[in-house]
Amino acid sequence: MKKLEMVYEGKAKKVYRTEDEKQFVIEYKDDATAFNGLKKGSIVGKGAVNNIMSNIIFQMLEEKGVPTHFVKQLNERETVVKAVKILPLEVIIRNVAAGSFSKRYSVEEGRALAKTVLEFSYKNDDLGDPLINDDHILALELASEEQLKLVRKYAYEVNDALKEFFLERGLKLVDFKIEFGISEGEIILADEISPDTCRLWDVVTGEKMDKDRFRRDLGNVEETYQEVLGRVKK
Ligand code: UDP
């Protein structure tokens, strides 16, 4: 699959058109940003970790009945995916209080939540990705009622599958963000699932094994990404 011109460059990935209009090639970068681009850096090897890890997880999710954009890994950093139009929504699932949730409601990080929380943010950097609810999404026509229903259903299914998958690897799934796209009229899981997009805490030590090591300057950032990939490959 030959890469043609770049159609999009995000903070962590480049997206290329191919000879097949129904497929893109994604190239993962080592660039890291946090706090809506305020903190910038690089995590050596991150692109390869996120690419390989996402692909393993997307194939596992496909087997469990969640449709994804995954087609074929080309090499350590590049993957062929189905071309989608991304819904401008960040779908966040929380099993344990952390990050912006803890700050917003002043609850300590690590508090187990009595109910799994599904949250939407409106993907819009200029606005700082504000929280948005189902009514807002429908009012602004960001998704149809039918699409929203499917997105919610898939998000919970992804959570159930991921919680089990990570627990088997000694990692607690605290929260994560996913994105969906539309391919030939169908809602499918797109973007990535990686230490950039999940909070993962070591089950035994409680250590943070995700992008919070970069966000909060906790050290051992590169090593942690490699450790997570090693466990995911098992
Ligand atoms: N997240 C993400 N991209 C974003 C915002 C959040 O991947 O632009 C992930 C983040 O890594 C965490 C979860 O979504 O696993 C919830 O993040 P939160 O809302 O707590 O925001 P943060 O603390 O990262 O600002």
Side-chain angles (χ1 to χ4, degrees):
M1 181 59 57
K2 238 192 26 232
K3 283 196 295 193
L4 299 176
E5 80 272 12
M6 190 169 77
V7 287
Y8 173 79
E9 176 160 16
K11 292 169 201 143
K13 296 189 276 297
K14 293 178 182 172
V15 181
Y16 295 88
R17 203 166 65 77
T18 68
E19 284 147 339
D20 181 347
E21 64 173 28
K22 289 182 179 162
Q23 299 192 330
F24 288 152
V25 169
I26 300 183
E27 182 188 320
Y28 285 73
K29 306 189 284 185
D30 283 352
D31 298 356
T33 62
F35 313 120
N36 199 20
L38 239 52
K39 183 180 171 82
K40 286 195 179 73
S42 169
I43 301 171
V44 177
K46 174 172 86 78
V49 168
N50 289 5
N51 181 39
I52 297 164
M53 174 166 165
S54 284
N55 292 342
I56 292 170
I57 289 175
F58 277 34
Q59 288 172 86
M60 180 271 290
L61 292 171
E62 286 273 356
E63 278 171 25
K64 295 197 181 265
V66 178
T68 79
H69 71 173
F70 177 78
V71 176
K72 181 174 182 280
Q73 183 169 304
L74 291 178
N75 55 54
E76 279 214 314
R77 281 176 190 274
E78 295 176 318
T79 294
V80 182
V81 298
K82 290 181 186 156
V84 297
K85 200 167 166 277
I86 292 279
L87 293 179
L89 297 173
E90 298 196 334
V91 184
I92 293 169
I93 292 263
R94 302 180 185 276
N95 298 304
V96 174
S100 66
F101 182 93
S102 284
K103 206 172 263 170
R104 195 185 316 135
Y105 304 117
S106 188
V107 291
E108 66 172 316
E109 288 204 308
R111 171 162 154 188
L113 299 173
K115 184 191 183 303
T116 302
V117 172
L118 188 157
E119 240 172 59
F120 292 110
S121 292
Y122 177 31
K123 253 172 82 84
N124 184 316
D125 281 339
D126 295 337
L127 301 178
D129 299 339
L131 265 181
I132 189 166
N133 71 20
D134 290 54
D135 280 357
H136 298 146
I137 291 167
L138 297 174
L140 297 174
E141 299 178 295
L142 303 180
S144 70
E145 212 148 341
E146 194 190 347
Q147 289 170 337
L148 197 52
K149 219 171 127 187
L150 255 184
V151 162
R152 284 183 161 274
K153 175 172 130 11
Y154 288 150
Y156 285 114
E157 287 171 4
V158 169
N159 186 42
D160 288 340
L162 282 187
K163 269 197 295 191
E164 185 187 346
F165 178 86
F166 284 123
L167 201 56
E168 285 168 357
R169 288 155 177 84
L171 295 166
K172 175 152 95 174
L173 180 63
V174 171
D175 58 28
F176 63 92
K177 184 267 304 178
I178 48 180
E179 294 182 21
F180 291 88
I182 300 172
S183 152
E184 303 190 68
E186 301 295 321
I187 294 275
I188 65 175
L189 185 65
D191 195 48
E192 66 179 277
I193 295 181
S194 71
D196 275 7
T197 64
C198 301
R199 281 197 172 92
L200 300 165
W201 294 355
D202 186 275
V203 167
V204 177
T205 65
E207 240 194 304
K208 298 189 192 328
M209 305 285 285
D210 54 59
K211 194 173 164 189
D212 274 344
R213 301 207 74 83
F214 168 78
R215 292 190 190 99
R216 304 178 186 187
D217 297 315
L218 300 175
N220 291 329
V221 184
E222 275 90 3
E223 294 83 347
T224 300
Y225 275 73
Q226 295 299 333
E227 168 67 22
V228 171
L229 177 62
R231 293 196 199 185
V232 163
K233 278 178 165 172
K234 277 207 273 207

